[in-house]
Amino acid sequence: MNTFPPFIEDRSLRHRLRLQTLTRLRWLAVAGQTAAVVIVAQGYGFVFPELLCFTLIACSAWLNIFLTVRFPTAHRLPPVGAMGVLSFDVLQLSGLLFMTGGLANPFSVLLCVPVIISSASQPVRHTVGLGILSVAAVTLLAFYSLPLPWYADSTYEVPFLLIAGGWIAIVSTTAFAAFYAYQVSAEANQLADALAATELVLQREQHISALDGLAAAAAHELGTPLATISVVAREMEKALASDPRFTDDLMLLRSQTERCRDILRRLTTLSAEDEAHMVRLPLGSLIEEIIAPHREFGIAINVVEGKSSGREPIGRRNPGIMFGLGNLVENAVDFADAEVTVAVGHDRDYVVIVISDDGPGFAPDVLTQIGVPFMNRRNRLVREKAGGLGLGLFIAKTLLERSGAQLHFSNRLAPDTGARVQITWPREKMDLFGAETPRPTTVGAG
């Protein structure tokens, strides 16, 4: 089971389309429609219901003006409102096409645009409803429309077979483009969710680290008033020592004052110790601290010393590295049958950690998608054994790459089975004090 922090998000905001975006697109449509009508009527002299066409275009412009005056610039339409506005666009364009030749009009393909916009930003049910409206409009236009505007002394009859082909082309284009836009939008939303979760992981770890400094600051600030209380308590004890009515209260005041001193002293000491421990953490201690929480699940975790040379790296306690490696170890434990191996190696130039297990390994199709957020399986056979392998692994990969690491995912070589993850850092990314020996090495595990 992958571990990642819960985060709160108003997902309804995703389906709120910005009104300004729609009004700008509609102004562009108004300009294009007006230019087309003027050119066809005045430039070519074709006869068609010009006045009715301008009336429909004026309705679109009026809607834009109304929405701009009624709502602020940054207003976002709810899904129902967006569907209403996009439905108007479908009907308005259908009216123009009805008076200018129906599907014989080359601009009939524009009927797919509102559906594509909806698929990229609106809930599926609203997009499906808008798609049904568009298909119905296209179907009616295939059978009922005024003739295509043409020269006065001749007529242009479009074969019905060509009309049918246009219907198929428009409907299929609408469906394909809408589905493609939906997929791209969904993947972008998943990536945004995963990055938001990653940022929250870092914020949580950094907040925990910052508590040490806060404790030290609080101990320092409380020290002065506590010292004043202690002095006043001693003076009161001297002045009222002969009065038995205050003896117990004075003793209680003194004892509680000393207790507060002890608490502040421990806070100051703990903060200083933790800060020093954060600054310098040997690689071996880092590995032990990461795998310790995962030793109680019936899976043996073996730490193997790989090919190493020179002094052991000593680095900072990096929250991203701690969480990233911990998540990889957790995934290995989830999928392992009996054993997980963590091989550690280092030299002058590199620090290498290899995490491998003896489970079924990565499925071939999964290896090509490692690190994609919300990938829900490693292998069909073990899907129910350990749950998803998506967002948590994406966060781990992102955090480790931010620390300067390169990750390589693979399966162990036959006859061994299981997954293998190699994480490689440049030495300077993991060591506060540099390195001493010149020869790079490769760690082998599984």
Side-chain angles (χ1 to χ4, degrees), residues 1 33 45-46 72 93 114 124 142 148 185 199 213 223 225 250 254 263 273 302 335 342 373 411 430 432 444:
M1 179 178 64
Q33 291 168 1
F46 293 166
L93 182 57
V124 174
L148 181 70
S185 177
E199 293 297 334
L250 290 172
R254 286 291 302 275
I263 292 174
E273 291 175 352
N302 301 320
F335 288 98
V342 180
N411 288 322
M430 291 287 285
L432 288 173

Side-chain angles (χ1 to χ4, degrees), residues 143-350:
F143 294 96
Y144 305 104
S145 67
L146 297 180
L148 181 70
W150 204 245
Y151 297 101
D153 56 348
S154 63
T155 59
Y156 183 76
E157 293 293 336
V158 180
F160 185 77
L161 184 60
L162 186 60
I163 297 295
W167 184 92
I168 295 173
I170 293 174
V171 172
S172 60
T173 299
T174 301
F176 174 79
F179 179 75
Y180 183 80
Y182 171 78
Q183 286 293 104
V184 171
S185 177
E187 291 179 5
N189 289 333
Q190 289 179 351
L191 185 61
D193 284 345
L195 290 175
T198 303
E199 293 297 334
L200 285 180
V201 168
L202 287 176
Q203 291 176 11
R204 184 187 66 180
E205 298 295 335
Q206 291 168 357
H207 178 70
I208 292 174
S209 300
L211 289 179
D212 291 332
L214 181 62
H220 176 74
E221 294 296 329
L222 292 174
T224 301
L226 186 60
T228 302
I229 295 173
S230 180
V231 171
V232 172
R234 284 198 299 268
E235 294 298 326
M236 292 176 62
E237 188 175 1
K238 292 179 182 178
L240 302 174
S242 58
D243 192 337
R245 293 177 301 171
F246 302 103
T247 302
D248 291 342
D249 292 337
L250 290 172
M251 290 180 62
L252 179 62
L253 182 61
R254 286 291 302 275
S255 65
Q256 294 302 309
T257 303
E258 291 301 322
R259 182 182 177 188
C260 289
R261 283 181 178 274
D262 291 340
I263 292 174
L264 293 182
R265 190 179 302 111
R266 286 199 300 270
L267 282 175
T268 305
T269 303
L270 179 63
S271 178
E273 291 175 352
D274 286 351
E275 187 176 356
H277 188 52
M278 279 184 59
V279 171
R280 299 183 181 182
L281 185 65
L283 181 61
S285 300
L286 171 72
I287 298 301
E288 287 298 331
E289 186 168 337
I290 288 170
I291 65 177
H294 308 289
R295 290 190 181 277
E296 306 299 326
F297 297 97
I299 300 296
I301 303 179
N302 301 320
V303 179
V304 177
E305 183 70 24
K307 296 180 181 179
S308 300
S309 58
R311 176 186 49 78
E312 180 183 25
I314 300 176
R316 295 182 182 274
R317 182 193 296 272
N318 185 309
I321 293 176
M322 300 286 288
F323 183 90
L325 290 177
N327 193 276
L328 294 178
V329 172
E330 182 180 359
N331 276 322
V333 170
D334 285 340
F335 288 98
D337 290 333
E339 182 182 42
V340 171
T341 301
V342 180
V344 185
H346 55 84
D347 62 11
R348 179 184 180 87
D349 299 314
Y350 300 102

Side-chain angles (χ1 to χ4, degrees), residues 85-151:
V85 173
L86 292 172
S87 297
F88 169 84
D89 292 336
V90 171
L91 296 175
Q92 188 259 3
L93 182 57
S94 298
L96 289 175
L97 292 173
F98 173 80
M99 291 181 287
T100 56
L103 296 192
N105 190 320
F107 291 106
S108 59
V109 70
L110 292 176
L111 278 171
C112 68
V113 173
V115 182
I116 295 173
I117 294 174
S118 177
S119 66
S121 60
Q122 301 302 300
V124 174
R125 64 182 183 277
H126 292 80
T127 301
V128 171
L130 190 64
I132 293 174
L133 176 63
S134 297
V135 171
V138 172
T139 303
L140 288 174
L141 290 173
F143 294 96
Y144 305 104
S145 67
L146 297 180
L148 181 70
W150 204 245
Y151 297 101

